[in-house]
Amino acid sequence: MGLYVKGVLGSFSGKVGTVVGANWRSIDYLRSLPKPSSKPATEKQIAHREKFALVINFLSPLRELINIGYNDDQQAKQTGFNKATGQLMRLVEGEYPNFNIPYDQVVLSNGGMQPVRAVVGTGMDGMDISWNTASNLYGANPTDVVNLVLYSEVTDDFFVFQDATRADGLYSITSEEMGGGDFHGWIFATSANNAGRSKSTYLGLIEF
């Protein structure tokens, strides 16, 4: 792939001969057309593809949230989602074809704000997530939005809650909202204007 400077005719998008012109994040690129390979994929290539597919399928439903959590800078050469993907790729456990997501190491947000240290309590009616409301360290504010993410391995569904602030100190979810089951949980804070964020914290496997 090559970077090119606009000429008298300007940049172009699409295929011209054996090259393709494209624009990504305000940068114009030229790349050659891919050539089909007659060689069968190696076991290492197949394993990499399977691992990549596992990570992409897991993270894709949270793409928008992850781009916020990783401070997706439009001037950067890599999106926030791509950063999270690369990080999780390095952490995937197991050997091909038995790869596993290490849920306790998944990072959905990575920033310098004061983390949300939460405690989860469950009962017949649902769950309560409580956290320390102190907001005098590392850019934290009472108005910070608390982002709660729950994931069910059984149904492969994510549930995202963004209705609480750091000052609230408590968020309750009823059984009617979620149904029963086991859920992996993560929590992190973002500033009201999305300019700041904390690193996400894994809440463990929540049973209710």
Side-chain angles (χ1 to χ4, degrees):
M1 181 182 293
L3 171 67
Y4 72 98
V5 180
K6 297 177 184 178
V8 293
L9 299 179
S11 60
F12 71 89
S13 176
K15 185 175 70 171
V16 177
T18 60
V19 298
V20 175
N23 180 281
W24 185 77
R25 296 193 172 227
S26 302
I27 301 174
D28 296 309
Y29 288 99
L30 286 176
R31 60 182 174 83
S32 59
L33 288 172
K35 297 180 180 179
S37 175
S38 59
K39 296 181 180 179
T42 65
E43 185 174 342
K44 185 176 181 180
Q45 289 173 325
I46 295 173
H48 179 81
R49 292 171 188 172
E50 289 295 318
K51 183 187 294 186
F52 182 74
L54 175 68
V55 171
I56 288 295
N57 289 338
F58 175 71
L59 293 179
S60 285
L62 299 175
R63 182 184 295 269
E64 184 176 344
L65 183 68
I66 289 171
N67 277 333
I68 294 173
Y70 272 78
N71 188 22
D72 186 31
D73 182 358
Q74 291 298 311
Q75 302 304 313
K77 294 182 179 180
Q78 190 177 35
T79 67
F81 182 80
N82 285 345
K83 292 177 186 177
T85 299
Q87 182 176 14
L88 187 53
M89 281 283 290
R90 293 188 290 272
L91 297 173
V92 168
E93 299 173 339
E95 299 293 334
Y96 174 77
N98 300 310
F99 291 126
N100 299 294
I101 298 289
Y103 297 107
D104 61 332
Q105 298 182 62
V106 169
V107 178
L108 301 179
S109 175
N110 200 3
M113 280 176 51
Q114 182 179 345
V116 180
R117 304 299 185 190
V119 176
V120 181
T122 59
M124 293 293 293
D125 297 329
M127 70 174 76
D128 292 327
I129 300 96
S130 58
W131 56 87
N132 191 321
T133 60
S135 57
N136 57 350
L137 294 172
Y138 307 112
N141 288 285
T143 57
D144 293 338
V145 176
V146 173
N147 301 267
L148 173 66
V149 179
L150 300 178
Y151 171 71
S152 169
E153 282 188 81
V154 176
T155 63
D156 194 29
D157 288 326
F158 281 101
F159 300 84
V160 179
F161 302 89
Q162 298 172 298
D163 304 320
T165 65
R166 194 186 291 268
D168 291 331
L170 177 69
Y171 194 79
S172 298
I173 302 172
T174 65
S175 299
E176 287 75 17
E177 290 179 271
M178 300 289 296
D182 299 339
F183 297 89
H184 295 279
W186 298 267
I187 194 168
F188 65 94
T190 51
S191 60
N193 61 1
N194 286 333
R197 59 209 41 80
S198 72
K199 186 173 183 179
S200 61
T201 301
Y202 179 61
L203 298 175
L205 183 62
I206 305 167
E207 304 176 12
F208 82 109

